[in-house]
Amino acid sequence: MIKQNTLELIRQTPLVKLDRISKEGVNLYGKVEFMQPGGSVKDRAAYQIILDAYEMKKLVKGQLVVEMTSGNMGAGLAVVCKQFGNPFLAVMSKGNSPERIKIIKALGADVFLTDQVDGSEGMVTGNDIAYASQVAKEIAQKEKGFYVDQFNNTSGVMAHFNTTGPEIWQDLPEIDAYVASVGTGGTFIGTAKFLKSKNKMIKCIAAEPESAAILKTGRVENPQHIIQGTGYSLIPPHWDSALADDIITVTDTEVQEMTRRLSHEQGMYVGYSSGANVIAALKYAKINQEIRNIVTILCDTGYKYSSL
Ligand SMILES: Cc1ncc(COP(=O)(O)O)c(C=O)c1O
C-alpha cells in the first residue's frame, strides 16, 4: 500500500480484536488511532479543523495557527500545519509530560508553557487548561493568528461524524456498543451521532474518571486523575446527553492495570485513556450480557508518557 503524502496517513485506521483481553462471549475491538502520524486520535480533528478553516477563509497559507493542547492535538496540528504551510504554536500547561512537549517541537512547532492552576505534574485539570486556553487566545489575537479553539470548534465533532463513525460502521455493521472517554467530546459525540443515525439500537457509552465524573454525577470530588487528555471536570460545549446510553466510571488503579495489560498481554503500547476505554467497555459488557460486539478507541501511544 502506497500513500501519496503524510496527510493520507490520517484516518482509515483498522479495528483490532483485543483477543487477550476480551471476556468469554464478548468480541472487543480497539480502533487503532495511535497509528496516525501525530500518534493519536486527535490527528483527525486537527486535519478537519485546518481543512474547514481554509474552506471558510478563516486561515490562509503562512498564517500562524495557535492552540491550547494537552499534547495530542498539538502533535496532530504540528503534522497538519506543516503540510499546509502554516507555522504552529502549541500553548501547553506545564503539567503535561515532557515527552509530549518534545514530540511537538520535533514535529517543527513552537511550544509556550503555562503554569498550573490546581493540577500537578502528569495531572492537568480543567482549570489548568482554561488558563492555557486564555493565554493561547490572547497570543492568537496579538499575532493575528488563527485560534483553533478545539473545545468550541464544531469541525472537531464533524471529524468523527465524517470519518471515525463511518469507518467503524463499514468494518463492523454488527456493532452492539461503542465506548469512548471524553476530552473535548469530539470523538464520543461525532462517532456516537453517526452510529446512531445508522442504527439507533447501538449503545454509546462514555467513560469518565471516578473522581471527576461530572457527566455522570454533576460533581467533581478530585479533578486530578491519570487519564490525560480527558476528564477535565467540565461539560464540553457540544455535549449531548441524549447520545450517552450510559456513563461508566473508572478508577486510576483500574486504568493503570488495564493499560499495563494492553501492552504486556495484547502488545498494544497505549496511553491511559485507551486503558480507561477498554476497562469501561468490559464493565459495560459485564452488566449488559446481551452485548456481543463492542468497539472502543485506542487513543494514543504509550511513548508519549513518562510513567509508562
Ligand atoms: C490521550 C487522549 N485520549 C482521549 C482524548 C479525547 O478526545 P476528544 O477530545 O475527542 O474527546 C484526548 C484528547 O485530547 C487525548 O489526548
Side-chain angles (χ1 to χ4, degrees):
M1 184 196 299
I2 296 178
K3 303 279 184 175
Q4 297 303 324
N5 56 56
T6 306
L7 292 173
E8 286 190 6
L9 292 169
I10 300 175
R11 307 169 173 172
Q12 293 297 339
T13 57
L15 289 178
V16 61
K17 193 167 180 178
L18 301 174
D19 60 334
R20 304 299 168 105
I21 306 284
S22 293
K23 292 275 188 301
E24 185 92 6
V26 176
N27 300 313
L28 173 60
Y29 298 89
K31 193 152 174 63
V32 188
E33 294 296 287
F34 62 86
M35 280 172 66
Q36 299 177 99
S40 92
V41 65
K42 298 298 284 197
D43 283 20
R44 291 180 190 261
Y47 193 13
Q48 190 74 54
I49 284 172
I50 297 301
L51 275 174
D52 291 351
Y54 267 93
E55 199 169 306
M56 291 184 280
K57 307 215 179 328
K58 289 182 178 169
L59 176 64
V60 294
K61 205 175 169 85
Q63 187 182 356
L64 177 68
V65 173
V66 186
E67 178 59 338
M68 178 288 303
T69 169
S70 64
N72 281 329
M73 185 59 152
L77 282 167
V79 170
V80 173
C81 288
K82 193 57 82 179
Q83 305 313 304
F84 277 78
N86 292 89
F88 170 55
L89 174 69
V91 179
M92 298 178 72
S93 164
K94 284 180 183 165
N96 288 292
S97 66
E99 284 77 2
R100 289 166 183 244
I101 297 161
K102 186 177 141 201
I103 291 165
I104 293 171
K105 285 184 177 165
L107 287 168
D110 289 319
V111 175
F112 184 91
L113 293 177
T114 56
D115 289 329
Q116 289 191 268
V117 179
D118 57 0
S120 59
E121 211 180 304
M123 298 196 183
V124 176
T125 66
N127 285 332
D128 294 336
I129 64 159
Y131 177 60
S133 298
Q134 185 55 35
V135 172
K137 198 172 177 177
E138 282 165 14
I139 296 174
Q141 269 165 1
K142 195 161 146 253
E143 303 294 330
K144 297 196 171 24
F146 170 68
Y147 176 48
V148 170
D149 198 6
Q150 57 174 308
F151 276 85
N152 293 297
N153 196 322
T154 50
S155 301
V157 175
M158 289 315 292
H160 298 282
F161 185 85
N162 293 340
T163 72
T164 318
E167 288 169 30
I168 293 172
W169 180 247
Q170 182 171 354
D171 290 343
L172 193 72
E174 55 275 38
I175 177 175
D176 298 311
Y178 162 72
V179 180
S181 48
V182 178
T184 65
T187 311
F188 177 81
I189 300 162
T191 307
K193 219 175 233 173
F194 180 85
L195 291 174
K196 283 187 181 286
S197 77
K198 288 293 169 190
N199 175 1
K200 59 180 182 342
M201 299 307 286
I202 298 172
K203 303 294 181 199
C204 295
I205 294 91
E208 267 196 311
E210 192 168 283
S211 70
I214 192 162
L215 300 174
K216 190 179 174 96
T217 67
R219 289 190 319 274
V220 174
E221 282 163 30
N222 180 0
Q224 299 201 20
H225 57 81
I226 60 164
I227 319 172
Q228 274 187 49
T230 80
Y232 288 122
S233 306
L234 52 81
I235 297 175
H238 299 300
W239 183 248
D240 177 356
S241 58
L243 290 171
D245 294 287
D246 203 349
I247 296 171
I248 301 283
T249 62
V250 293
T251 66
D252 279 3
T253 309
E254 288 171 330
V255 171
Q256 263 163 334
E257 196 181 294
M258 182 51 76
T259 308
R260 195 169 44 240
R261 280 191 67 195
L262 281 164
S263 55
H264 281 215
E265 294 174 35
Q266 192 68 58
M268 295 283 148
Y269 186 41
V270 288
Y272 292 119
S273 64
S274 306
N277 286 346
V278 170
I279 190 78
L282 289 177
K283 280 185 172 186
Y284 184 76
K286 195 170 176 188
I287 44 179
N288 295 275
Q289 299 275 324
E290 72 285 4
I291 297 297
R292 285 288 160 270
N293 299 308
I294 186 159
V295 173
T296 193
I297 306 289
L298 301 178
C299 308
D300 71 351
T301 161
Y303 294 116
K304 296 195 182 205
Y305 298 78
S306 331
S307 54
L308 278 172

